Amino acid sequence: AVVSTQSTGGQVGTERIAQLKTKYLELHDRVKWAKEKETTLLQSAKRLNDQLGQQKYLLENTSEDLSGGDLTEVGQLRQTLLKHNNKLLQSEQRIVSLQFEIERLQEEVADKQV
């Protein structure tokens, strides 16, 4: 709307308008991609969180008086739990990073519209 208003007043050349529209579309596509990626990561984080809950449940419900062979299973469960917990933390960090990137791109798009 701003670009159209300025173009009718002769303030912005048609080449510049085309450049701004192209840049806007590129930024819009990047924001859409980032949102889709964020959704995918959130789904992955939820799935990993569910797995973590299942692993915790299994670990908590394992009896304390296990035989020697079962202790290695508990150790493996603990390692698996730790691995999933680390993956969850990494996913959460990526989500935060993507949220900052989305905000930055939205600000950039807003600045270009002015």
Side-chain angles (χ1 to χ4, degrees):
V2 173
V3 174
S4 298
T5 304
Q6 289 181 347
S7 66
T8 58
Q11 295 177 5
V12 178
T14 56
E15 185 177 315
R16 180 68 177 145
I17 291 171
Q19 289 174 343
L20 291 172
K21 285 182 179 181
T22 301
K23 184 66 175 177
Y24 172 79
L25 291 173
E26 289 172 2
L27 291 172
H28 185 268
D29 288 343
R30 288 173 73 186
V31 168
K32 277 180 29 180
W33 174 84
K35 285 185 178 186
E36 289 169 1
K37 188 70 172 174
E38 177 186 22
T39 300
T40 301
L41 288 172
L42 285 170
Q43 289 171 346
S44 178
K46 183 181 180 337
R47 183 181 44 79
L48 288 172
N49 195 30
D50 290 344
Q51 288 177 355
L52 180 62
Q54 291 171 354
Q55 293 293 326
K56 282 183 179 179
Y57 176 80
L58 287 174
L59 187 61
E60 290 168 357
N61 290 318
T62 303
S63 75
E64 293 296 325
D65 58 347
L66 298 172
S67 65
D70 289 336
L71 287 177
T72 58
E73 183 180 350
V74 171
Q76 289 173 347
L77 286 173
R78 285 185 177 145
Q79 286 179 344
T80 303
L81 175 64
L82 197 62
K83 183 176 84 174
H84 287 297
N85 194 25
N86 287 338
K87 285 182 180 180
L88 178 62
L89 290 174
Q90 289 173 349
S91 293
E92 289 172 350
Q93 289 172 350
R94 285 191 300 266
I95 289 168
V96 170
S97 176
L98 283 171
Q99 287 172 338
F100 283 123
E101 179 69 12
I102 288 170
E103 289 174 14
R104 184 187 67 77
L105 289 172
Q106 287 173 337
E107 289 174 4
E108 192 174 322
V109 167
D111 290 343
K112 296 292 181 180
Q113 290 178 346
V114 174

